[in-house]
Amino acid sequence: MNTIPNRQVICETLLELAKDDRDIMVLASDSRGSAAMAPFANTFPEQFVEVGIAEQNIVGMSSGLAHSGKKPFVTSPACFLSMRSIEQIKVDVAYSRTNVKLIGISGGVSYGALGMSHHSVQDIAVARAIPGLAIVLPADRHETKKMTEALVKYDGGVYVRIGRNAVEDVYESDDYPFEIGKAVIMKDGTDVTIIAAGETVRIALDAAELLSAEGISCRVINMHTIKPLDEAAIIAAARETKGIITIEEHSIYGGLGAAVAEVVVQNEPVPMKVLGIPDEPAIAGKTAEVFQHYGLTGDNLKQAAIELINK
């Protein structure tokens, strides 16, 4: 079982890349510890800025650094970065077309017991509506490494959301092609398609194995980039399978499910099911407990797929 959280992988990757690229900078909002960025701050103190608990300021400062030719990575809790700083993200990053990478740490329900104030299950919906802002949710530590390398080369604003704790691997290594805006077919299938992002990719793969035991062929798509969306992969899934299920650590409104549905209904309508957090304050508890409560499990996903096919 993997014990390395994605936030640590981001730090380790940036540490390696910053040796040869002194334009890489990291900014923290009193979050170097929770973002696992202390090693970067200690190694490259001139490339690290501690802003303190001032989320609007950290986005504005990072935009100024980007205008000066730097490559700033903002590390801040997703719940605060995506809500308190949304005007600065809209204007200073997206509208101004600045090369800022916004790393929302401890996203989704990974702050668990702290409840709704610390959950970030509306962030994708908000970010999706902002023109010029890409959105990426890596599935595991291997994809996080590939993503971080790609972010350094990517010219433009990006919102990234990662969880707090280590997650089970979905890839055996980082030896696979990764491209922002290009989905990954994790498993091919002809009966039903499950589309997932972030930590729910593991759940989708588990469900596919359960369905396989029932004789059902399930396609699994890792939609790591929610914007720009890989519409071709969605349309192909709609044409080649009998229905699509999405699963996400996010509200059922405005997130991955909504993005996929918008493509499906306008191009190749098929039955769909959107699994996520319902329209209520998410319960407080450990991530596994919250997922279990809302049916974000392999067993429930398997049953949803069977019901969809039977329709």
Side-chain angles (χ1 to χ4, degrees):
M1 179 66 182
N2 171 48
T3 59
I4 303 172
N6 291 342
R7 53 199 170 102
Q8 181 179 331
V9 175
I10 292 177
C11 179
E12 292 172 352
T13 307
L14 289 178
L15 266 172
E16 188 63 30
L17 295 173
K19 294 177 183 177
D20 299 317
D21 189 347
R22 289 307 178 108
D23 286 332
I24 293 174
M25 297 194 69
V26 173
L27 294 85
S29 58
D30 194 30
S31 53
R32 75 177 72 188
S34 55
M37 281 295 170
F40 189 97
N42 295 335
T43 305
F44 299 110
E46 294 182 357
Q47 293 170 250
F48 182 85
V49 181
E50 175 57 73
V51 180
I53 304 175
E55 288 82 5
Q56 293 97 331
N57 290 346
I58 200 173
V59 175
M61 291 170 63
S62 66
S63 299
L65 288 167
H67 275 300
S68 302
K70 300 300 182 181
K71 301 173 183 177
F73 281 72
V74 173
T75 57
S76 183
C79 56
F80 304 135
L81 182 62
S82 65
M83 294 296 161
R84 292 184 179 177
S85 311
I86 198 62
E87 181 181 358
Q88 286 72 28
I89 292 172
K90 182 181 76 171
V91 178
D92 297 348
V93 176
Y95 180 67
S96 300
R97 299 181 181 179
T98 51
N99 187 27
V100 176
K101 306 307 184 290
L102 304 156
I103 312 298
I105 59 175
S106 301
V109 296
S110 57
Y111 267 134
L114 297 179
M116 186 174 180
S117 64
H118 283 63
H119 291 164
S120 54
V121 294
Q122 299 84 25
D123 53 342
I124 306 305
V126 174
R128 277 187 64 223
I130 298 177
L133 186 67
I135 305 169
V136 184
L137 278 70
D140 69 358
R141 57 175 170 152
H142 300 301
E143 190 157 78
T144 299
K145 182 177 186 294
K146 301 283 284 189
M147 175 201 70
T148 306
E149 293 170 344
L151 289 177
V152 171
K153 300 176 182 178
Y154 186 88
D155 186 16
V158 183
Y159 175 70
V160 174
R161 190 231 269 177
I162 57 173
R164 183 172 182 80
N165 302 311
V167 294
E168 188 176 348
D169 290 340
V170 300
Y171 294 99
E172 293 182 359
S173 71
D174 57 17
D175 185 22
Y176 75 98
F178 175 91
E179 181 182 344
I180 293 175
K182 184 70 173 177
V184 180
I185 309 300
M186 305 293 293
K187 187 176 185 300
D188 208 357
T190 56
D191 290 326
V192 66
T193 297
I194 300 174
I195 301 178
E199 297 184 16
T200 59
V201 174
R202 178 71 264 168
I203 299 171
L205 289 170
D206 291 343
E209 290 301 316
L210 294 172
L211 288 166
S212 179
E214 302 270 349
I216 297 172
S217 175
C218 177
R219 181 177 305 187
V220 176
I221 299 177
N222 172 12
M223 195 64 69
H224 54 69
T225 305
I226 298 180
K227 189 180 178 182
L229 194 65
D230 189 344
E231 296 187 3
I234 297 170
I235 294 170
R239 288 176 178 166
E240 297 166 7
T241 65
K242 301 171 185 176
I244 294 175
I245 302 176
T246 62
I247 180 168
E248 58 193 309
E249 189 181 356
H250 187 272
S251 167
I252 57 174
Y253 296 120
L256 172 65
V260 171
E262 290 161 9
V263 175
V264 169
V265 74
Q266 296 180 84
N267 292 277
E268 194 75 25
V270 293
M272 269 196 70
K273 175 72 174 178
V274 176
L275 295 180
I277 307 297
D279 191 25
E280 65 182 49
I283 64 164
K286 296 179 181 179
T287 299
E289 295 171 336
V290 178
F291 276 27
Q292 182 70 39
H293 179 81
Y294 290 116
L296 304 180
T297 64
D299 285 333
N300 189 61
L301 188 50
K302 180 200 81 169
Q303 189 57 41
I306 293 173
E307 293 174 1
L308 192 73
I309 292 171
N310 289 338
K311 281 185 179 180

